Amino acid sequence: MPTEINDKPFEFYTYPNGLRLITVPMAYTESVTVLVMVATGSRYESKEINGISHFLEHMMFKGTTKRPDKMDISHELDSIGAEYNAFTSKEYTGYYVKCAAIKIDTALDVISDIFQNSKFDGKEMDIERGPIKEEINMFADQPAQHISEIYESLLYGNQPLGWDIGGEKKIIDAIKREDMVKYFSDHYFDKNTIVAIAGKIDPASAKEKVSRYFDNVRDNKRNEPPMVSEKQDAPALKIEHKKTDQSHINLGFRAYGRFDPKLEALELTAVILGGGMSSRLFVEIREKRGLAYRIRTSTAIYNETGHFTTYAGLNNENLTKALLIILAEHRKLIEEKVPDKELKRVKDRISGNRAISLETSDELASFYCEQELLEHKIRTPEERLAKILAVTADEIQAVARDIFKPEKLNLALIGPLEGDNSEIKKIIDSW
């Protein structure tokens, strides 16, 4: 039965076919963002078609039965001054149009058209293989981005979470049109999809428009991705030898899945360690010693697993010195509680960042849509922030003691290393 929630700064509605709509009215803007998000990504793929989620995302802009030429979509959206794009992750794929609020019908018409009527023309597929392979090349040539792919392949190995979102070039060349049509049919359907509209809108009008524009959405049954298998009993190291001016590292620990109650404490721990210019690692590595230009700590969260990871681009000659300092700062969080003054400062930082990040219609659409798609529940920004502000120093220390363990430690590295790398291995093995 359709459900509605009306006592929040958003409205949520489920149509009889299972398609979901989130509307977020914003009185202080003249723009609107239409976001369509689908619960599929590279972790839903088999090895034979790894990369098809991303390939399909590209092909959605290459013509529909209503707009048959590959330039029709871009010409129409450019003519109204819209911003538009798409993105693929391991767990979801999204398409958005941001435009003047008075042009919402154009945005809905185009985005519903590509979702319902894309042609996946074989000749256009063959042309698009080239740009996709060049995108793969581009990321491989950017160690600061590519290191995350090396790192997750170390963590998860030869299973979907360990594969690159873009896939391998030989697989891109081998994907057939029938593969794409089947994948599209298997994943792009009513119950697997959320439409989010944020900006200068009337929710009742938006609800009627979505029902009208998305009148031909396919029906299917939802499916879940394969569960990840994790086996580790000692620190692990993976190195990609490359002639670079810096050594790029991801050093981190296996952590928690999306529904773990310790996630807020984990997020605070990441900000304390490497979130911003006043964080512990930024001060110790960059400000005091000048060993890196960029260093940051973040969390990555999936359904049943996740990781807590520090990235740094380090001076090659001081790599081992920097690794020792980074690990020492992790150990301090195990041994010492975070002082009240520092904890308050970090909470204030998160509070301020949240306020800034949710000022625009595209950010608000994503904020609400991701929650419903991945968590199957929606909390307001205030509700999510309240849980973070309630975290104590004891809870942060408990998280550090829980995840900062040898059997959860992983280091991925890209750089011009020579020899047997025994010194680096000795550092992580001694944790």
Side-chain angles (χ1 to χ4, degrees), residues 9-49:
F10 64 93
E11 291 191 16
F12 176 73
Y13 180 78
T14 303
Y15 294 93
N17 64 359
L19 179 72
R20 288 161 286 173
L21 171 67
I22 301 169
T23 53
V24 191
M26 300 169 67
Y28 51 85
T29 183
E30 294 298 321
S31 71
V32 65
T33 294
V34 177
L35 170 66
V36 175
M37 197 173 285
V38 185
T40 192
S42 60
R43 76 169 303 184
Y44 287 77
E45 301 167 353
S46 63
K47 188 62 175 177
E48 293 74 21
I49 56 169

Side-chain angles (χ1 to χ4, degrees), residues 51-109:
I52 199 170
S53 299
H54 177 246
F55 197 165
L56 188 151
E57 172 219 308
H58 279 234
M59 291 304 301
M60 294 278 272
F61 291 89
K62 300 303 178 182
T64 69
T65 52
K66 182 177 179 179
R67 297 171 172 88
D69 188 85
K70 65 180 177 181
M71 298 304 297
D72 288 344
I73 293 168
S74 58
H75 283 163
E76 188 165 355
L77 293 176
D78 285 344
S79 72
I80 64 169
E83 296 177 5
Y84 55 97
N85 211 331
F87 48 86
T88 305
S89 76
K90 295 194 172 182
E91 293 189 317
Y92 56 84
T93 308
Y95 305 83
Y96 71 89
V97 176
K98 183 177 182 180
C99 62
I102 59 173
K103 297 296 184 180
I104 185 173
D105 281 279
T106 301
L108 280 166
D109 190 27

Side-chain angles (χ1 to χ4, degrees), residues 260-268 379 384 387-388 391:
D260 196 293
K262 299 183 285 295
L263 281 185
E264 285 78 18
L266 187 73
E267 181 178 349
L268 271 165
R379 289 179 290 176
R384 293 186 78 92
K387 291 181 70 68
I388 290 174
V391 172

Side-chain angles (χ1 to χ4, degrees), residues 2 5 8 21 35 49 109 116 152 155 179 197 246 248 252 313 317 352-353 358 383 386-387:
I5 302 173
K8 303 283 187 180
L21 171 67
L35 170 66
I49 56 169
D109 190 27
Q116 296 172 118
E152 290 204 329
L155 283 168
D179 297 325
I197 305 177
Q246 289 182 312
H248 297 263
E317 296 180 357
N353 283 347
L358 295 176
E383 289 169 334
K387 291 181 70 68

Side-chain angles (χ1 to χ4, degrees), residues 150-197:
I150 302 298
Y151 180 68
E152 290 204 329
S153 71
L154 171 63
L155 283 168
Y156 306 122
N158 188 25
Q159 52 186 332
L161 276 184
W163 303 335
D164 293 353
I165 293 170
E168 299 176 30
K169 287 180 281 187
K170 64 181 180 181
I171 297 177
I172 299 303
D173 280 333
I175 290 174
K176 298 179 177 63
R177 182 182 185 276
E178 50 263 39
D179 297 325
M180 187 162 293
V181 171
K182 184 179 187 305
Y183 190 85
F184 183 65
S185 176
D186 288 346
H187 297 277
Y188 282 65
F189 56 87
D190 45 19
K191 300 172 187 64
N192 219 31
T193 305
I194 300 175
V195 180
I197 305 177

Side-chain angles (χ1 to χ4, degrees), residues 36 215 271 347 352 368 424:
V36 175
D215 61 345
V271 178
K347 289 180 178 180
Y368 287 107
I424 294 173

